[in-house]
Amino acid sequence: MDFDWSDDNRRYRARVRHFLEQELPAEWPEIARHGPGSKEQTEFSLDFCPKLAEAGFLVPHWPEALGGANGTAWEHLILGEEMWAVGEPRGGQYMNVNWIGPTLMRYGSEAQKDRYLPPMAAGKAIWCQGFSEPNAGSDLASLRTRAERDGDHYVINGTKIWTSYASLAETCFLLVRTGPLSAGKSAIAILLVPMDTPGIEVRAIPSLVGHGDIHEVFFTDVRVPVSTRLGEEGQAWEIINYSLTNERVGIPRYAMSSRVLGHIVADLKRQDRFNDGVVRMRAGEAAAACEAARLLVYRLVDMRARGQTPGPDASLARVATVAADNAVLDFALDFLPEFTTGNVYPEYLAHHERAIVAGIASGATEIQLNLIAQRHLELPRGPR
Ligand SMILES: Cc1cc2nc3c(=O)[nH]c(=O)nc-3n(C[C@H](O)[C@H](O)[C@H](O)COP(=O)(O)OP(=O)(O)OC[C@H]3O[C@@H](n4cnc5c(N)ncnc54)[C@H](O)[C@@H]3O)c2cc1C
């Protein structure tokens, strides 16, 4: 494969990088230290994303009619890489632009598009994703949060867990069961639920991955109009598959990992600590892991640019991205302890603390490996 960036792509990357150099405030590293789900970073995103929107760097991949610029799949990737390389200043709004917005474009009613897409494109919307439950994580089809039809309303009862951004979100992209548990995937629907609807209670879960990052969300007799439903009852699985494929490609964390690795190696060289053979070997391994993740993601983007649907290649790219994240964090832990105390590069620390859960959030690595075994290596399905 002879891969090289076009001059247009190079110019585009230089423009995004220049914008970030000019516009990211000096206090960004300290704000980012609080973590992507924190009040500090969310408030920052509500200030910074409108600036990105104004400069054309928030939703360039969206259609022009919706505030975008019909940008290419490669420009979208370059934008994501540059954002992640500086610690992802879009915070939780990355979800809006990468998958919630595009999902609403494809499956939303005109009223839903009119209501939700303009604030997203302006950088002024915070959403959360209500999928996981205490007994439904990897096995999402066993979710139990119920939405009972009552005239032209649904009445929701149940509990979601590990919900990122829930305490600050205005709207939840919520998965609910509209039929019996035995009906599995075919009785699940998606509701777009305003988080200030009476009967919703959000409780933060204390955790190692940053204060305010994950929550339990309790729904007790929450009434929402049927018009909050996205698509049809029973269509949720098709919609989520579309959303998750977008989400998995939308997080080029390897761009951050390789930038961090570069900083660490430069520091070790400055301190004359890069001559040891083991240090150099481990740096090489981490760099190779970042490069493998990058090229596997590029394969997906290439497919998307040609109008193809990625399939099992998305699992390969995700597993490689998690491996890259962990290789860099392990290298930092072993050879530059000051990185892990936040004394240097605080803007990256919250994300690297999250590396311990990167293989769990948005689909556990083991599940991705199962999918690779079945669909890529054509091995038989494991016992259930
Ligand atoms: C930081 C963070 C943020 C999150 N944010 C959100 C959010 O915003 N919204 C949301 O809905 N969810 C969120 N999640 C939840 C996440 O999607 C789930 O944790 C994930 O899907 C795994 O589900 P679980 O925790 O129930 O673990 P389980 O599914 O119970 O898995 C536990 C372990 O068993 C393994 N396992 C399970 N089934 C199999 C199998 N068939 N084969 C092999 N191994 C298996 C898993 O790989 C895992 O190691 C978040 C999680 C984290 C850590």
Side-chain angles (χ1 to χ4, degrees):
M1 184 171 69
D2 182 16
F3 178 82
D4 201 3
W5 294 107
S6 69
D7 288 344
D8 281 352
N9 287 157
R10 281 206 187 88
R11 273 193 292 272
Y12 186 72
R13 189 184 291 280
R15 280 179 48 222
V16 179
R17 204 171 278 189
H18 178 73
F19 178 87
L20 290 171
E21 281 163 8
Q22 297 296 309
E23 298 297 332
L24 263 187
E27 58 275 20
W28 163 242
E30 276 314 311
I31 295 167
R33 175 69 193 92
H34 292 282
S38 64
K39 185 166 176 288
E40 288 83 354
Q41 218 188 110
T42 303
E43 282 170 358
F44 176 79
S45 87
L46 288 168
D47 183 50
F48 190 67
C49 288
K51 290 183 189 158
L52 284 172
E54 207 169 304
F57 291 138
L58 190 63
V59 291
H61 52 295
W62 287 20
E64 268 177 57
L66 296 168
N70 292 321
T72 66
W74 289 108
E75 284 172 356
H76 182 205
L77 173 86
I78 290 168
L79 187 71
E81 286 186 339
E82 292 302 314
M83 294 295 157
W84 275 94
V86 294
E88 185 46 290
R90 296 171 300 184
Q93 293 199 50
Y94 86 87
M95 294 197 305
N96 306 353
V97 299
N98 284 342
W99 69 265
I100 301 179
T103 303
L104 296 192
M105 276 173 222
R106 178 178 281 212
Y107 294 100
S109 66
E110 288 311 310
Q112 288 167 340
K113 291 183 207 171
D114 288 348
R115 173 170 177 180
Y116 291 121
L117 293 176
M120 278 187 204
K124 293 178 181 161
I126 306 293
W127 284 66
C128 61
Q129 166 192 330
F131 289 11
S132 308
E133 297 184 2
N135 293 307
S138 303
D139 185 14
L140 199 52
S142 63
L143 68 88
R144 288 164 189 266
T145 294
R146 287 205 56 88
E148 305 273 0
R149 192 74 181 255
D150 179 18
D152 55 2
H153 280 71
Y154 285 109
V155 181
I156 310 168
N157 280 287
T159 304
K160 295 288 169 180
I161 195 165
W162 315 125
T163 323
S164 307
Y165 316 112
S167 61
L168 300 159
E170 296 121 25
T171 321
C172 182
F173 191 99
L174 182 71
L175 287 189
V176 290
R177 178 162 294 288
T178 50
L181 195 55
S182 57
K185 295 173 185 169
S186 60
I188 298 178
I190 297 166
L191 302 179
L192 309 177
V193 177
M195 289 296 283
D196 59 0
T197 313
I200 300 180
E201 188 195 345
V202 177
R203 283 189 215 152
I205 302 175
S207 81
L208 287 173
V209 295
H211 181 71
D213 266 25
I214 43 181
H215 308 81
E216 283 176 290
V217 185
F218 300 92
F219 295 82
T220 310
D221 294 330
V222 174
R223 284 179 73 81
V224 291
V226 169
S227 60
T228 58
R229 194 184 65 224
L230 182 67
E232 300 301 322
E233 284 189 10
Q235 201 186 4
W237 219 252
E238 173 196 330
I239 300 177
I240 301 163
N241 273 328
Y242 175 76
S243 303
L244 292 184
T245 311
N246 275 303
E247 187 193 26
R248 282 173 194 152
V249 189
I251 310 182
R253 285 180 67 104
Y254 59 83
M256 178 178 64
S257 305
S258 53
R259 178 80 59 100
V260 168
L261 182 64
H263 285 317
I264 296 174
V265 167
D267 280 359
L268 292 174
K269 282 181 179 166
R270 255 194 307 277
Q271 297 167 19
D272 213 14
R273 287 158 62 195
F274 199 64
N275 297 320
D276 184 296
V278 173
V279 178
R280 295 166 81 104
M281 181 192 74
R282 289 276 306 279
E285 285 172 355
C290 292
E291 194 62 5
R294 189 170 76 89
L295 294 176
L296 285 166
V297 168
Y298 285 7
R299 259 179 38 164
L300 298 187
V301 177
D302 182 49
M303 285 182 191
R304 186 168 285 176
R306 293 162 193 251
Q308 297 166 358
T309 310
D313 300 275
S315 299
L316 281 178
R318 193 170 136 65
V319 168
T321 301
V322 171
D325 223 349
N326 283 304
V328 172
L329 183 65
D330 288 348
F331 181 72
L333 277 170
D334 289 344
F335 301 114
L336 195 74
E338 50 273 40
F339 174 80
T340 58
T341 57
N343 289 343
V344 291
Y345 316 120
E347 67 272 42
Y348 298 115
L349 191 58
H351 285 294
H352 278 280
E353 283 168 353
R354 274 174 158 249
I356 51 173
V357 293
I360 304 172
S362 43
T365 299
E366 291 80 4
I367 304 295
Q368 306 300 327
L369 290 172
N370 276 348
L371 292 173
I372 292 167
Q374 285 163 34
R375 297 192 197 157
H376 206 80
L377 301 174
E378 298 180 0
L379 291 171
R381 217 189 160 105
R384 306 200 99 200

